[in-house]
Structure formats: C-alpha cells, structure tokens
Amino acid sequence: MFPDSRTVLEPDCSRCPELVECRNRISWGTGPRSADVMVVGEAPGAGAPDAERWRGGNWTGMAYTTRHSGRKIRSLFFDLGYDAYFTNAVKCFPEDEDGSNREPREEELDNCFDHLRTELATVDPTVVVSTGKHATKILLDFESIPMEGFLDRVLSPVECERLDVILLPLLHPSYENVWRGRLGYDRAEYVAAIESALAALV
C-alpha cells in the first residue's frame, strides 16, 4: 500500500533557495513506474522525524505520506484497486515564518514543473489525478486552459494534449469535508463518483 520505489530526479536541487533552507528531504514521487494513475498533490507536509518510515512525510522523501491527507488519499486509491504513483507539484515542504506550511508560490510551482514533466514522461500514466487547486492549476496553465472556478473542475475530466494525459481534478483531501457538500455529495457518493470517473478513463 505504501510503495518505497522512488523516482529521484535531482537530489541536490537548489532552484528555490527559500525551500532549500527549510527542507529535510526532497519528496520525490513514489510508486510503480508503470502506473495507469498518477496522483499529483500540492506540496509535501513538514513530516515528523520520529514517525514510522511511511508516515514521515517530508522526512522520508516520499510524497503523500503525511498523517492526514497522505493516508487519506493513499487509502482511497488502494480501496479503489489502483496501485497509483504519488507525487507533488512542488517537491519540498514550503515553510511559513511560524514553521507551519504555506501555499507554494507561483515561482516555486514554475521551478518544479520540469520535474513533474519528467515524472509524467517516465511513468506515462493514462490519467493524472490532481488534488486541490494548485496542482490542478499548474497542469491547466501548461495546457493554456483557464481554470476559472476550481470547484467547477472537480470530477470533470480534461484532455491535456501537450502532456498526453487525461486530467481528473479532485478536492484536496485536507479540505474535502469543507467543500464536498458544495458539490452535492456525501462521502460515499463522492468516492463512488471518483470510482465511476476513473473506470471510464483508465
């Protein structure tokens, strides 16, 4: 359920000096390189150095392993029967002044996009599932497709011709409970809608 295979692209990357200062490890993508589904999140969490290996987030160098959103999204795809590849639009924990996480800046997303493109070329998934507005926007921007309202994009597949994938935006797992009701779903209905959308695409 928690694969330890990794795609290490640039171990000493220093494109974002501010992120280099606060990172413990670069959280490169993890999972099978033959995966049909690639899950792209926003950025890794801070991680806990004393956590079990797969629960350490940024400390382990593995994407989507943090206690809340990481376990939730990995468990979702495991339960749906997909051995997905997990990565982030930004590979390093973006630390705020108080030590908490902040939203990645535009230049950080831009700096990291070449890494994401390399992962896409390596894994060659059929479907890319973006979780949250930042991960969705960076992919739509590359395709010159306006995002407009993010909620209007959720569960609506987008054909990305330049990247040669189908993009399926989902709510970020940390905010699912906040926004899911706006889409008219309870939890079971939302999961069923994801399952149905993926079945039609993969």
Side-chain angles (χ1 to χ4, degrees):
M1 182 173 177
F2 300 97
D4 55 13
S5 56
R6 304 183 188 182
T7 303
V8 178
L9 304 173
E10 192 177 323
D12 299 315
C13 180
S14 57
R15 297 182 191 189
C16 306
E18 190 177 349
L19 297 188
V20 172
E21 287 181 10
C22 65
R23 79 175 175 219
N24 294 296
R25 299 190 187 171
I26 302 175
S27 293
W28 297 119
T30 58
R33 298 188 186 189
S34 59
D36 291 324
V37 177
M38 176 185 284
V39 180
V40 179
E42 179 181 296
D50 298 325
E52 295 177 44
R53 181 181 61 82
W54 59 268
R55 293 180 177 171
N58 191 28
W59 284 84
T60 66
M62 293 174 65
Y64 258 134
T65 56
T66 52
R67 180 176 167 189
H68 299 292
S69 60
R71 273 191 269 180
K72 191 172 185 178
I73 202 73
R74 283 181 178 267
S75 294
L76 169 65
F77 281 88
F78 178 79
D79 291 344
L80 292 176
Y82 293 96
D83 193 5
Y85 182 97
F86 295 86
T87 193
N88 286 304
V90 170
K91 313 301 184 188
C92 299
F93 167 60
E95 186 175 34
D96 209 347
E97 293 178 359
D98 63 0
S100 63
N101 66 307
R102 57 169 172 77
E103 294 183 349
R105 299 191 172 99
E106 197 73 31
E107 62 268 23
E108 294 164 351
L109 287 161
D110 290 342
N111 286 344
C112 235
F113 190 67
D114 280 348
H115 296 320
L116 181 58
R117 287 183 66 190
T118 300
E119 287 180 302
L120 283 165
T122 300
V123 178
D124 191 25
T126 303
V127 178
V128 171
V129 174
S130 56
T131 60
K133 65 179 181 179
H134 291 290
T136 300
K137 187 176 185 302
I138 193 69
L139 292 160
L140 291 178
D141 282 351
F142 183 73
E143 297 287 331
S144 299
I145 298 172
M147 185 166 72
E148 299 171 350
F150 170 65
L151 286 182
D152 293 332
R153 290 285 185 184
V154 174
L155 284 169
S156 297
V158 181
E159 186 172 350
C160 297
E161 294 182 1
R162 295 178 68 187
L163 294 171
D164 193 27
V165 297
I166 302 297
L167 176 65
L168 182 66
L170 297 184
L171 298 171
H172 191 284
S174 294
Y175 298 99
E176 179 193 320
N177 290 340
V178 176
W179 297 109
R180 190 183 61 233
R182 299 273 185 100
L183 299 175
Y185 295 114
D186 62 21
R187 171 65 179 172
E189 291 168 339
Y190 180 62
V191 171
I194 296 171
E195 183 176 26
S196 177
L198 287 171
L201 298 172
V202 176

